[in-house]
Amino acid sequence: MGIYLAGAAGRKPALPIAFEGLEAAAHQVLDPELLGYVAGGAGDERTQRLNVEAFAQWGLMPRMLVGAAQRDLSVELFGQRFPSPIFMSPVGVLGACREDGDLAVARASAVTGVPMFASTLSAATLEQVRLAQGATPGFFQLYPPNDPELSQSLVSRAEAAGYAGIVVTVDTWVNGWRPRDLSSGYIPMLRGLCLENYRSDPRFQELVAAQPAGQAGAVELTWAGIFGRPTLNWSDIDALREATSLPLIIKGICAPEDAKKAQDHGADGIICSNHGGRQANGGLSALQCLPAVVGATGLPVLFDSGVRSGTDVVKALALGARAVGIGRPYVYGLTVAGAAGVEQVLRGILAEADLLMAVDGYAAIADLVPEALHRVAGPA
Ligand code: FNR
């Protein structure tokens, strides 16, 4: 209603409301190499498109006259109450998309109450990011490095900084085949961007110091040597479980068998995600995988990959997600308009979800059950 009243007074929203317009606006601002890195995915990006299209295959059954005037969208996550069922998925190049981008996203988290999952790859340290998140709990996302001491150091720093949980991403121990980045020979980190968590780490500094004296690009080369852990396996999860008493959440699970293993190895939660189609191409949409992952364990299952709108959020919740991760939409909001842009994107998605629940007669998240969704029929 506020938007319509402002419109009557001749004022329009600062950012496009729909995802397509937002993406187009970001395309105007980002340099082409970085745009390729952010917007691109693996292979011919079929899986990335499928992630988005999968939502269109489901429709919510509208129910009338049920009294949905008051809605409650709050959720409990890892022992804390959050005002809404969305979170900001970890994105590693916020500081490249906009100056102080990590801190701008953290400030948007502080004012909206939407938790930020802060990436290992950032242009501000995890301590600075946590401070900027204010009273909203934050989660630290770890890419397990190929150096157990560095892993331990990052986890200890996240604990000391006051994060509410550790999110371990397990689908990116090696980068996927990304034609856009391969064509431009571009990875932000090898240009020295978004490495602040490493540069500020005593263990990483030791690794840099071990490079031959006078080695040009020692930081970037050291990073390239430890970023991925080729042997990553469940015993690494055991080690992380030992290393922290914080909730441990495993990101990048699509198979129900892996969800069970996550539970066996002490995880507190799972993020069903295919990394937005950036890692493997020719696979399943993340949404297709969600119901079986939810059914495999009693653990809370969060979801991301392909979420573009409030209706997508509602559908993922109905398929069993405890909370739903926003990826590229908030990155584009940041790119175009900084913290205010992130805030507008999050508030827009939440308002759409809330309004859909109102008009379709679902007053509570608990009412969003799988039976409320139906397969959309093809053309007759
Ligand atoms: C990501 N993602 C990601 N995930 C992660 O665990 N750590 C990270 O540092 C990053 N970095 C990153 C950078 C960029 C540019 C993108 C687009 C994505 C994956 C992210 O958390 C999430 O899984 C996807 O973004 C979800 O897909 P959509 O909604 O963006 O299509």
Side-chain angles (χ1 to χ4, degrees):
M1 182 56 76
I3 291 183
Y4 294 126
L5 290 173
R11 290 192 309 277
K12 297 233 170 83
L15 283 185
I17 296 287
F19 177 77
E20 289 70 23
L22 189 64
E23 188 173 38
H27 282 214
Q28 307 282 319
V29 183
L30 284 179
D31 80 58
E33 289 177 336
L34 184 56
L35 175 64
Y37 184 82
V38 174
D44 67 1
E45 301 180 354
R46 195 173 295 256
T47 299
Q48 182 168 311
R49 284 191 296 279
L50 210 56
N51 279 340
V52 173
E53 289 161 9
F55 286 92
Q57 293 170 13
W58 291 105
L60 189 64
M61 182 61 80
R63 302 299 307 275
M64 296 297 130
L65 306 168
V66 294
Q70 305 287 331
R71 273 93 48 207
D72 179 6
L73 268 74
S74 68
V75 286
E76 199 192 298
L77 270 184
F78 311 117
Q80 313 213 36
R81 197 91 209 153
F82 289 85
S84 65
I86 64 171
F87 62 94
M88 287 187 273
S89 287
V91 166
V93 291
L94 303 176
C97 291
R98 181 108 180 172
E99 202 176 339
D100 288 335
D102 306 276
L103 300 178
V105 170
R107 284 198 294 275
S109 170
V111 297
T112 58
V114 173
M116 172 185 185
F117 287 23
S119 170
T120 311
L121 300 168
S122 58
T125 64
L126 62 93
E127 290 83 2
Q128 292 165 333
V129 171
R130 177 65 207 120
L131 265 182
Q133 292 169 347
T136 304
F139 295 79
F140 177 68
Q141 177 264 328
L142 179 75
Y143 277 130
N146 201 18
D147 180 84
E149 265 185 69
L150 179 58
S151 188
Q152 176 68 61
S153 176
L154 289 167
V155 168
S156 302
R157 285 173 58 190
E159 277 193 342
Y163 283 91
I166 304 287
V167 174
V168 193
T169 300
V170 294
D171 60 14
T172 310
W173 54 269
V174 61
N175 262 7
W177 179 258
R178 298 183 194 163
R180 296 202 215 192
D181 300 339
L182 291 165
S183 305
S184 57
Y186 181 78
I187 289 204
M189 286 61 75
L190 288 181
R191 309 285 173 102
L193 299 170
C194 307
L195 295 176
E196 274 334 292
N197 281 329
Y198 299 92
R199 285 199 181 92
S200 59
D201 195 280
R203 172 60 186 161
F204 186 78
Q205 288 159 7
E206 281 175 18
L207 296 170
V208 174
Q211 295 276 351
Q215 170 82 57
V219 167
E220 292 79 2
L221 285 178
T222 305
W223 175 80
I226 55 88
F227 173 70
R229 180 160 172 79
T231 59
L232 190 67
N233 67 75
W234 289 103
S235 65
D236 292 298
I237 301 299
D238 295 336
L240 284 167
R241 180 65 292 171
E242 281 283 299
T244 182
S245 54
L246 288 176
L248 190 65
I249 302 135
I250 304 193
K251 176 171 184 277
I253 298 289
C254 289
E257 298 83 353
D258 292 346
K260 285 202 190 86
K261 283 214 159 124
Q263 184 172 41
D264 292 346
H265 289 266
D268 298 287
I270 292 164
I271 307 184
C272 176
S273 163
N274 63 17
H275 215 99
R278 296 166 68 76
Q279 283 299 92
N281 192 40
L284 307 169
S285 70
L287 194 69
Q288 183 181 341
C289 300
L290 176 61
V293 170
V294 170
T297 73
L299 292 178
V301 176
L302 288 62
F303 174 84
D304 80 19
S305 295
V307 177
R308 298 290 176 262
S309 67
T311 65
D312 295 345
V313 169
V314 168
K315 290 175 189 179
L317 292 171
L319 289 173
R322 178 74 66 90
V324 181
I326 312 301
R328 291 181 181 89
Y330 86 82
V331 182
Y332 293 144
L334 169 76
T335 301
V336 179
V342 177
E343 191 184 336
Q344 186 188 308
V345 167
L346 297 176
R347 291 203 193 282
I349 287 173
L350 281 173
E352 188 189 2
D354 181 52
L355 194 53
L356 176 67
M357 288 171 69
V359 296
D360 271 357
Y362 295 83
I365 290 179
D367 298 337
L368 293 169
V369 291
E371 294 71 34
L373 288 185
H374 294 261
R375 283 274 176 193
V376 171

